[in-house]
């Protein structure tokens, strides 16, 4: 079974993290398939926007620590740093607008995927948590996306407290586009993705290109900077 599924919807594509038994936790295969799905969507001229969501009512619970600590170690573990970089590189380079449907939670590595959204739709009772500080670890990919989009004040609140921020707070801070009833997140995110994809002349894609036109670094340079500044304990399980 694919751990990332794709569905075309007349001009836009849904990419679904599909490990519901683990609340869509991150492992090597999920990182690889996510990168492949994003690259394929970006290369398809019929796709004008992307929806990233999680299966069965949850977005992403972070790294699958059971697999990371398994004995014997999974064969992908030595490559996980490169795998996870590839997923974030694909998000960074995606020319199509990316909408994220944040149902229930987006924790640590899952938060980094949510923060990569151009437009984030979150449930009123759902939360985003960049919690690495609570276990003495850095959060380089979360930091990289936050520095791309947010003020220092917002970054400090999200990362230095390590606490959960729920939908209405995320909207108030400018992190989320919209907070809706928990049972309406996916429906609203689909509506928003379809709306963005439906604008004529590829306008949304061209606007996103202009949004990123100021950037002086490519994806790897940007993420390398965040990783170097993280310092300290940046083991595979900490690269979130």
């Amino acid at each position: 079974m694919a751990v990332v599924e794709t569905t075309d919807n007349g001009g836009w594509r849904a990419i679904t993290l599909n490990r519901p038994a683990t609340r869509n936790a991150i492992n090597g295969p999920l990182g690889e398939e996510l990168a492949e799905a994003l690259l394929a969507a970006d290369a398809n001229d019929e796709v004008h926007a992307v929806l990233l969501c999680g299966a069965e009512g949850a977005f992403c619970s972070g790294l699958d620590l059971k697999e990371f600590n398994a004995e014997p170690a999974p064969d992908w573990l030595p490559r996980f740093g490169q795998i996870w970089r590839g997923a974030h590189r694909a998000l960074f380079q995606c020319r199509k607008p990316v909408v994220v449907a944040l149902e229930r939670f987006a924790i640590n590595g899952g938060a980094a995927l949510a923060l990569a959204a151009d437009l984030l739709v979150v449930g009123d009772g759902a939360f985003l948590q960049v919690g690495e500080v609570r276990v003495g670890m850095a959060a380089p990919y979360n930091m990289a996306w936050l520095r791309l989009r947010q003020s220092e004040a917002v970054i400090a609140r999200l990362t230095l407290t390590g606490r959960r921020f729920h939908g209405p707070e995320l909207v108030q801070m400018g992190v989320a586009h919209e907070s809706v009833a928990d049972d309406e997140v996916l429906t609203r995110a689909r509506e928003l993705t379809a709306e963005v994809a439906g604008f004529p002349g590829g306008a949304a894609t061209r606007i996103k290109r202009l949004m990123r036109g100021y950037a002086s670094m490519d994806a790897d340079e940007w993420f390398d900077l965040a990783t170097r500044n993280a310092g300290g304990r940046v083991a595979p399980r900490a690269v979130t």
Side-chain angles (χ1 to χ4, degrees):
M1 181 181 70
V3 295
V4 173
E5 294 187 339
T6 63
T7 308
D8 285 330
N9 298 274
W12 60 276
R13 180 171 294 178
I15 298 177
T16 304
L17 309 179
N18 188 37
R19 302 189 69 223
T22 65
R23 300 296 186 266
N24 305 314
I26 298 158
N27 63 5
L30 183 140
E32 290 176 324
E33 292 187 22
L34 176 57
E36 292 170 2
L38 288 162
L39 291 170
D42 193 49
N44 190 326
D45 291 339
E46 301 302 314
V47 174
H48 302 296
V50 172
L51 170 63
L52 180 60
C53 57
E56 296 188 15
F59 183 60
C60 181
S61 58
L63 299 184
D64 188 338
L65 295 182
K66 183 176 180 180
E67 287 204 17
F68 275 85
N69 294 319
E71 295 292 345
D75 59 4
W76 49 261
L77 186 60
R79 300 182 290 107
F80 183 73
Q82 291 76 24
I83 291 171
W84 197 226
R85 169 63 63 87
H88 282 280
R89 184 191 301 115
L91 278 164
F92 188 95
Q93 294 176 339
C94 185
R95 297 166 298 170
K96 316 299 173 66
V98 176
V99 176
V100 167
L102 199 175
E103 298 181 277
R104 291 189 63 182
F105 40 66
I107 302 169
N108 297 351
L113 296 179
L115 292 169
D118 297 306
L119 295 168
L120 177 62
V121 179
V122 60
D124 292 336
F127 67 86
L128 182 145
Q129 183 176 26
V130 184
E132 285 89 345
V133 69
R134 292 176 175 260
V135 292
M137 292 181 175
Y141 287 99
N142 279 296
M143 288 296 298
W145 287 110
L146 284 167
R147 288 185 64 197
L148 190 69
R149 303 185 185 280
Q150 302 296 335
S151 70
E152 185 174 336
V154 169
I155 296 170
R157 287 183 66 187
L158 285 174
T159 62
L160 294 181
T161 67
R163 75 170 181 84
R164 298 175 176 182
F165 288 83
H166 291 83
E169 290 179 284
L170 294 170
V171 172
Q172 184 272 328
M173 294 164 69
V175 174
H177 168 69
E178 189 174 356
S179 181
V180 299
D182 291 326
D183 61 355
E184 296 177 2
V185 175
L186 191 56
T187 296
R188 178 63 190 126
R190 286 170 171 160
E191 291 172 349
L192 180 61
T193 309
E195 180 183 10
V196 171
F199 293 135
T205 299
R206 289 187 286 117
I207 288 172
K208 182 169 180 177
R209 184 163 60 244
L210 291 170
M211 283 165 48
R212 292 288 174 84
Y214 68 87
S216 60
M217 296 183 184
D218 66 19
D220 282 312
E221 289 175 318
W222 185 255
F223 292 125
D224 282 345
L225 178 63
T227 303
R228 284 197 304 271
N229 287 343
R233 298 169 62 190
V234 189
R237 71 187 61 183
V239 179
T240 60

